[in-house]
Amino acid sequence: MTTQRTHDIGGVPRSRIVAASMIGTTIEFYDFYAYGTAAVAVFPQLFYPKGDPTAALLASLATFGLAFAARPLGSILFGHFGDRVGRKATLVASLLLMGIATVLIGALPTYQQVGIVAPTLLAVMRFSQGLALGGEWSGAALLATETAQPRKRAWAAMWPQLGAPFGFLLANGVFLVLVLCLGTAPGGAFLTWGWRVPFLLSSVLVVVGLYVRLRLTETPVFARAVERGERVKAPLVEVVRGSWRQLVIGTLVMLATYTLFYVVTTWALAFGIGKPPPAGTGLGFAYVDFLELQLIAVVFLAATVPVAGLLADRFGRRPTLLVVTVGIIAYGGLFGVLLTPGATSTASVLLFLVLGMTLMGLTFGPMSAVLPELFPTNVRYTGSGIAYNAASILGAAVAPFIATWLATNYGVGWVGLYLSVAAALSLAAIWVMRETRDVPLDDDVRTGRVEAAAVDGPPR
């Protein structure tokens, strides 16, 4: 019986749970990153009035940030149903919303065709993407953690985290192939219709994701909480009233992770392909060349996410994150050395990207265990989602915009200082955070009693 339960959760093979949590987040992040890439290379040219290229880029990045404003709303909306109805149904709904919004982006008319309506529709679709991803991450994280073996939660929870690098590789890989085949000349095939292909391809990926997720059952931890009558009518009210401290800590813990990733990806791409001095303040790389460097660096993100899961299970969440966050602070001091416009090299840029992505994997890997572990079962979807996505506003939403402004007006070294300050705030939050490695997820919130049947039996 014990052997069966090791591989079978509620009649569902563990391999299917892993696939559902990872494939779903891969699709969601693919959709999200496809927009991020287009926001730098495509949308400023096609969805905004012609004129100042920097103004168009900043306008595009502002729309890019709109999704992050929507993500906390998505975590509240989907968190409500995730804590009231269940994890499975909510995960299916979030995937559908993301897929529909992304496909519609691929079918939008441009500014030249419909004027101001084009960026307006683009903003609506981007907002919808944010709502969807606001509900996606928490559900995938809970699917992994609430079916995990004791003392192996961080390892189980790192599988949905792999959706971030896999989605990035897939989205940017598709863009790279299209650019290599179609070119980027104004009026050419890529800017005429090729940029739409990555968004339209999302429909195929969504069908695959839905097939996997519809074959799941509810997590045993949530099912037992329902049996005990622990569901609350208003999860948002309950989590704010009873877990406000965890919300603040969880949000700040995630701040450095978000700021780091979107500085090293979205801002770095815009800065890398920007005009070099004296005409500009960028590095002057060709779009294809810089994208290739980013794809190499993301492999290090994918490789270090599992390492972070192992470290967090072995040494604990706090020690692992404290060391990595100190590393991020130090990394911020290298920006002025590795990214000096007019005096940099391909090797130094690649080193910058690899170091950033390695640190990203080490800090991102444990988060899908850390944030759910901060909250009780009946508000876990809502609480972890709000913390994760509130950090997206403070970190990711504004990071490319602030970094672009700082680099243009004060130099690239100030972008590194901005990252270091964000990491210092995370360091303080991690310092006061309780260690959650041994916190039981399947506890009776009325009595504090831990269910004897918790998940999978004794640790091995």
Side-chain angles (χ1 to χ4, degrees), residues 26-34 167 170-171 174 198-199 201-202 205:
T26 298
I27 295 169
E28 296 270 10
F29 280 109
Y30 166 86
D31 292 349
F32 211 69
Y33 295 152
L170 186 57
V174 171
F199 298 98
L201 279 178
S202 178
L205 299 176

Side-chain angles (χ1 to χ4, degrees), residues 126-142:
R126 183 59 175 170
F127 188 86
S128 299
Q129 281 189 321
L131 283 178
L133 195 56
E136 162 63 29
W137 180 87
S138 298
L142 267 56

Side-chain angles (χ1 to χ4, degrees), residues 53-133:
T54 301
L57 174 61
L58 289 173
S60 181
L61 290 177
T63 306
F64 171 79
L66 183 63
F68 295 98
R71 283 171 65 162
L73 297 178
S75 65
I76 293 171
L77 174 64
F78 288 101
H80 176 86
F81 292 103
D83 285 326
R84 289 284 301 160
V85 178
R87 315 324 193 192
K88 173 186 173 180
T90 310
L91 278 169
V92 170
S94 67
L95 184 61
L96 271 175
L97 177 59
M98 176 65 88
I100 291 171
T102 305
V103 170
L104 287 178
I105 289 174
L108 288 180
T110 65
Y111 185 89
Q112 186 178 3
Q113 295 170 318
V114 295
I116 195 65
V117 174
T120 302
L121 291 175
L122 186 64
V124 171
M125 295 303 104
R126 183 59 175 170
F127 188 86
S128 299
Q129 281 189 321
L131 283 178
L133 195 56

Side-chain angles (χ1 to χ4, degrees), residues 440-458:
L441 294 186
D442 199 13
D443 57 336
D444 190 327
V445 298
R446 300 165 302 177
T447 65
R449 178 176 60 85
V450 178
E451 284 288 312
V455 190
D456 255 350

Side-chain angles (χ1 to χ4, degrees), residues 9 63 138 144 201 212 224 243 334 380 432:
I9 308 296
T63 306
S138 298
L201 279 178
V212 175
R224 283 191 284 270
S243 301
L334 297 177
R380 185 170 294 137
V432 302

